Amino acid sequence: MRDNSFSLINRIYNSTTVLDFGALFSDGTPQFVSPAEPMPGDNVTITFRTARSNVDTVIFVSENERFEMRLTHCDKIFDYYTIEIQKVRRRFTYHFEVHSGRLVVNYNRAGCCREINPDFDFTIVPGFVTPDWAKGAVFYQIYVDRFCNGDKSNDVLTDEYSYLGQHVKKVDDWYKLPDSMDVGNFYGGDLQGVINKLDYLKDLGIDVIYFNPIFVSPSNHKYDIQDYDHIDPHYGKIVDDSGDLLPWETNDNTRASKYINRVTNSVNLEASNMLFIRLVEEAHRRGIKVILDGVFNHCGSFNKWLDKELIYDQNPEYKKGAYISEDSPYRSFFRFNNENEWPNNNSYNGWWGHDTLPKLNYEESEKLHDYIMKIGKKWVSPPFNADGWRLDVAADLGYTEEYNHRFWRDFRKAVKSANPDAIILAEHYGNPRSWLQGDEWDTIMNYGAFMEPITWFLTGVEKHSDEFRGDLLGNAEVFEGSMRTYMSCMLYNSLYVSMNELSNHDHSRFLTRTNHRVGRIHTLGPDAANENVNKGIFREAVVFQMTWPGAPTIYYGDEVGLCGWTDPDSRRTYPWGREDTELLKFHKVMIKIHKKYASLRTGSLKFLHGEYKCIAYGRFNYEEAVVVVLNNDYTEKNLKLHVRELGVHNKKNMKRVILTTEEGFTRDDQANVVYDNVLSVTVPPVSASVYVCKLVSG
């Protein structure tokens, strides 16, 4: 990665020219591609930037075709070369070839290079548009059972039913830490609780709520969906609460009449759907979007299509489940390995072998395919009006890769036909490139180009807290390489709406990772997750989150210092009344900074500096430049940053708008004047700092 003298050591001398590598730049943002999201038939203008009078020729290279670009305009620092591509109708890739004297340099998303790796070429897909509201939006993830209990009358009751062979429990102490086996423990969080806290979220600066699953399901995580058509009444409304608890001596859920009535009675189901409608209306009234968790790879063994627990069997309003009857209308929804076991056929395929998570059999059931397409449309349409879907284990859906892609292409068409402004955001680990070609997902939960690199760099701890890697802690070269590699897997409009999380329900809390310990709740106990955490490192991570390309996503409670090992400990309750108010204040300040400067939401990105435990990068557009420095070392750093590469002129003032340390943070608006094209700054140990400059046009 670049050191302090990047622009100097990367100038290559020959007989006629000194090539300024730091000035060479292009990307997919609106200042370099116009329109940035073209429709089929549009003309597209592509721009490449060089230093003034510094190169002889810039060649646009696209799929073995070569075109010389025209020098069309300049300012005091840069020349701008452009080319207009006429009536674009198909996907194409491109890179640039820069000629300066005898020197020839290639440029793509990897930066300057001698040999081109086509995986890093720029890509334009006409007709692929991601929602403008999501670009740089601040998301907030809510695990509903643990956020806020707004209606105690709908709480899951102890002994209401049995799950995984044990009676479920109502947890009366909101502040009790999760058990190591926690799936059947319920704290009572619900949608009314979210409605009660919408003003809190608005004041925090949230633009979008992402809900973990809220449909009828027997677990507290609800990734084992029982009924895709209805909100779980335990999160919604219970109007008719007749029936009895499950007798303590049995796990036979046919005797759990209170549970059966609560989750199958249409009065309760429709009232719960109505409450969701109200929640969305209240959120939208505050300018907050709502996206739902779509679990379509598998359902739950309680699901009415399978009905292994016989929850629906005695209700004439429901048809027989496929577990019970070979003649079930849902027989094709599941793949059974033994055709001779009915009734009560337990030979169905479970996702990863879990019989509580039966895998859905789309390849052999067009009826199932069509049903889920209707579900995808239903919840983003009136009267529900959700603003999109987060897709659980999206790459696992189906039994073949070919079918998986077919399904997501169909799903995109269905959802976008109902709500063109809805977002389709997938959970994905690894390379998402084949799903992000413009006809399937909009974007992803950004593990590869966000959570993992920053976790390794700042803490050296794997995202589950299962491993410590000293060789990755503070390794700036690996950090930049990982970021470039995984960002190149996404089109720019996917990147700028990607979900950038530090923590979530599947991984340890980031604040816990700052203790550099390896552990889980069953190995070290829950209290150890709170010990020796470093809020200074956490503040660095939040500054990074609010200044990096994408949609910063706060996992509920992170903003007030919630700790926890990986699932289930990361699913602690929001500590109402016990918040870390300084961390909350800090999050509000950083969200305001994120929203104040447009370059932090949709601007270009440029790496400026990297050394052990210290990185710096810039975000910029034509109007402003922002410099971010993270110093994770325990020593002070004196840095010289070549901000001319961001368009900053000499003698311009770059105002420091925030400085974080281990002790806290300050907003002192310190002035830093640029001399000799360099911003010279001294940054304290374990700190993050943000500097801003309004640019001079022309």
Side-chain angles (χ1 to χ4, degrees):
M1 195 173 175
R2 294 160 175 77
D3 67 9
N4 293 350
S5 56
F6 166 76
S7 290
L8 296 177
I9 67 169
N10 282 281
R11 291 178 180 181
I12 296 180
Y13 292 80
N14 62 34
S15 60
T16 59
T17 308
V18 178
L19 181 60
D20 186 345
F21 275 64
L24 304 180
F25 193 82
S26 187
D27 64 13
T29 62
Q31 61 179 332
F32 292 98
V33 178
S34 180
E37 296 178 302
M39 299 305 294
D42 283 353
N43 296 343
V44 180
T45 299
I46 297 171
T47 300
F48 186 80
R49 190 192 77 179
T50 74
R52 283 291 302 272
S53 304
N54 190 235
V55 308
D56 300 321
T57 308
V58 178
I59 305 296
F60 177 85
V61 183
S62 177
E63 300 168 6
N64 299 318
E65 292 190 281
R66 300 165 57 83
F67 305 93
E68 183 172 339
M69 302 180 72
R70 293 191 307 118
L71 175 59
T72 54
H73 58 289
C74 60
D75 56 31
K76 294 179 180 179
I77 300 178
F78 303 117
D79 287 339
Y80 297 90
Y81 291 79
T82 66
I83 185 171
E84 185 177 57
I85 311 299
Q86 300 288 322
K87 296 182 178 180
V88 173
R89 297 194 180 279
R90 63 176 182 86
R91 174 187 182 274
F92 68 93
T93 61
Y94 63 94
H95 64 269
F96 304 95
E97 188 180 281
V98 181
H99 294 251
S100 182
R102 296 195 301 261
L103 182 65
V104 178
V105 175
N106 294 299
Y107 188 96
N108 61 7
R109 295 183 70 170
C112 297
C113 49
R114 291 190 179 277
E115 300 294 330
I116 281 291
N117 180 344
D119 286 344
F120 287 89
D121 276 3
F122 299 99
T123 304
I124 289 178
V125 178
F128 178 45
V129 177
T130 59
D132 282 339
W133 60 259
K135 294 180 174 71
V138 180
F139 283 61
Y140 191 87
Q141 179 183 350
I142 296 179
Y143 191 92
V144 177
D145 182 60
R146 309 298 164 86
F147 183 63
C148 180
N149 189 340
D151 180 1
K152 294 187 181 300
S153 71
N154 64 11
D155 291 359
V156 173
L157 301 176
T158 296
D159 297 324
E160 187 176 324
Y161 58 100
S162 176
Y163 186 71
L164 289 176
Q166 300 202 359
H167 284 214
V168 297
K169 296 178 182 178
K170 176 184 177 182
V171 179
D172 292 317
D173 179 6
W174 181 258
Y175 303 103
K176 177 186 178 299
L177 298 179
D179 294 333
S180 56
M181 181 56 183
D182 190 63
V183 68
N185 293 341
F186 294 86
Y187 287 72
D190 49 36
L191 297 189
Q192 185 60 53
V194 177
I195 292 172
N196 294 349
K197 298 300 182 180
L198 285 175
D199 287 338
Y200 164 77
L201 298 178
K202 179 66 175 177
D203 183 61
L204 179 58
I206 298 306
D207 300 311
V208 188
I209 295 170
Y210 152 48
F211 282 118
N212 286 108
I214 59 175
F215 302 115
V216 181
S217 309
S219 66
N220 59 45
H221 60 69
K222 298 200 178 301
Y223 284 96
D224 45 0
I225 288 176
Q226 187 171 327
D227 181 349
Y228 288 92
D229 282 294
H230 297 101
I231 304 299
D232 195 316
H234 298 95
Y235 284 179
K237 285 285 186 184
I238 297 176
V239 179
D240 183 337
D241 203 17
S242 57
D244 298 317
L245 299 176
L246 181 65
W248 65 268
E249 72 274 9
T250 182
N251 289 320
D252 179 3
N253 279 321
T254 63
R255 300 178 64 186
S257 59
K258 180 175 284 289
Y259 178 75
I260 292 173
N261 179 65
R262 282 181 161 191
V263 300
T264 67
N265 189 320
S266 61
V267 173
N268 296 329
L269 298 173
E270 293 308 316
S272 299
N273 283 5
M274 290 299 295
L275 184 65
F276 177 75
I277 292 169
R278 181 181 160 224
L279 184 153
V280 174
E281 289 173 346
E282 289 293 325
H284 285 176
R285 189 166 64 83
R286 292 166 173 82
I288 298 174
K289 306 285 188 181
V290 175
I291 67 170
L292 298 173
D293 209 323
V295 188
F296 303 131
N297 166 70
H298 55 271
C299 62
S301 55
F302 280 56
N303 191 284
K304 61 187 178 183
W305 300 333
L306 188 71
D307 199 19
K308 183 176 181 178
E309 299 290 322
L310 309 182
I311 299 297
Y312 300 90
D313 188 46
Q314 299 305 312
N315 190 328
E317 295 180 16
Y318 295 90
K319 299 174 182 177
K320 292 291 184 182
Y323 175 83
I324 302 164
S325 171
E326 185 176 8
D327 297 325
S328 166
Y330 312 118
R331 160 72 184 83
S332 64
F333 287 21
F334 307 96
R335 181 172 289 182
F336 291 90
N337 298 312
N338 190 331
E339 299 292 339
N340 299 311
E341 286 194 10
W342 277 285
N344 303 338
N345 192 333
N346 202 44
S347 71
Y348 60 86
N349 281 0
W351 182 60
W352 281 42
H354 298 292
D355 65 358
T356 57
L357 303 176
K359 187 170 175 63
L360 292 170
N361 185 32
Y362 292 98
E363 281 92 336
E364 297 172 35
S365 181
E366 200 67 22
K367 180 180 177 181
L368 170 63
H369 167 279
D370 294 346
Y371 195 106
I372 295 298
M373 294 302 136
K374 290 177 182 177
I375 291 295
K377 295 169 67 173
K378 171 180 176 175
W379 291 99
V380 300
S381 302
F384 304 106
N385 294 320
D387 299 288
W389 291 97
R390 176 267 189 189
L391 307 172
D392 184 60
V393 294
D396 286 9
L397 184 141
Y399 284 98
T400 66
E401 183 176 341
E402 179 183 7
Y403 183 84
N404 181 278
H405 286 294
R406 177 216 154 172
F407 180 93
W408 292 125
R409 283 192 292 269
D410 292 347
F411 187 81
R412 181 181 186 84
K413 291 174 184 175
V415 170
K416 297 290 184 175
S417 70
N419 183 349
D421 219 23
I423 194 168
I424 300 172
L425 188 158
E427 177 190 27
H428 187 69
Y429 298 86
N431 188 336
R433 189 187 304 272
S434 62
W435 289 273
L436 295 177
Q437 297 299 309
D439 58 350
E440 296 182 52
W441 310 335
D442 281 325
T443 191
I444 56 169
M445 300 177 75
N446 197 2
Y447 291 113
F450 186 79
M451 183 190 282
E452 291 179 346
I454 196 60
T455 291
W456 288 121
F457 180 77
L458 289 180
T459 74
V461 177
E462 185 266 342
K463 59 185 178 293
H464 287 286
S465 293
D466 281 345
E467 181 183 12
F468 177 80
R469 290 280 302 272
D471 59 321
L472 297 181
L473 174 62
N475 190 323
E477 183 176 359
V478 170
F479 172 83
E480 182 183 350
S482 296
M483 285 297 191
R484 286 192 184 278
T485 297
Y486 282 99
M487 285 193 296
S488 73
C489 297
M490 289 182 268
L491 304 176
Y492 274 89
N493 43 2
S494 292
L495 177 64
Y496 281 70
V497 298
S498 60
M499 185 180 279
N500 287 352
E501 292 188 291
L502 297 171
S503 318
N504 63 29
H505 62 292
D506 284 328
H507 305 95
S508 59
R509 295 269 181 174
F510 190 94
L511 186 55
T512 288
R513 283 176 238 151
T514 67
N515 66 13
H516 305 304
R517 295 188 71 180
V518 171
R520 292 199 174 205
I521 188 172
H522 65 277
T523 60
L524 298 181
D527 291 338
N530 298 28
E531 296 170 355
N532 302 313
V533 298
N534 190 318
K535 294 179 185 176
I537 296 174
F538 181 50
R539 279 186 281 266
E540 287 183 78
V542 174
V543 170
F544 179 74
Q545 182 181 43
M546 294 297 163
T547 58
W548 194 255
T553 303
I554 299 169
Y555 184 41
Y556 78 100
D558 267 13
E559 75 273 24
V560 291
L562 207 56
C563 293
W565 302 112
T566 199
D567 164 28
D569 198 35
S570 58
R571 302 170 182 183
R572 299 181 182 187
T573 52
Y574 186 105
W576 299 109
R578 301 182 181 183
E579 301 92 334
D580 185 322
T581 56
E582 283 301 304
L583 278 180
L584 178 59
K585 181 180 177 182
F586 170 66
H587 274 82
K588 289 181 180 180
V589 168
M590 280 310 307
I591 289 171
K592 287 179 180 177
I593 289 173
H594 171 81
K595 292 187 171 186
K596 182 176 181 179
Y597 301 106
S599 61
L600 295 180
R601 300 190 305 276
T602 58
S604 299
L605 168 73
K606 205 168 197 309
F607 289 97
L608 296 175
H609 175 83
E611 62 178 89
Y612 178 64
K613 287 193 172 183
C614 185
I615 57 173
Y617 54 90
R619 301 292 307 279
F620 64 98
N621 56 28
Y622 283 130
E623 287 77 37
E624 66 191 22
V626 178
V627 170
V628 182
V629 181
L630 304 182
N631 178 21
N632 200 40
D633 207 349
Y634 284 92
T635 61
E636 183 179 85
K637 301 284 187 183
N638 297 303
L639 304 180
K640 295 185 181 297
L641 304 174
H642 290 264
V643 295
R644 188 178 179 87
E645 297 174 10
L646 310 179
V648 180
H649 292 234
N650 273 328
K651 300 185 179 179
K652 289 288 291 183
N653 173 44
M654 294 207 75
K655 180 175 66 175
R656 189 179 71 192
V657 296
I658 194 164
L659 171 69
T660 76
T661 63
E662 284 191 288
E663 291 71 39
F665 71 97
T666 181
R667 299 194 68 188
D668 57 5
D669 289 348
Q670 182 188 83
N672 297 269
V673 180
V674 175
Y675 292 108
D676 297 326
N677 304 321
V678 168
L679 174 67
S680 298
V681 294
T682 299
V683 291
V686 192
S687 69
S689 47
V690 179
Y691 308 84
V692 178
C693 177
K694 292 294 181 182
L695 300 182
V696 177
S697 60

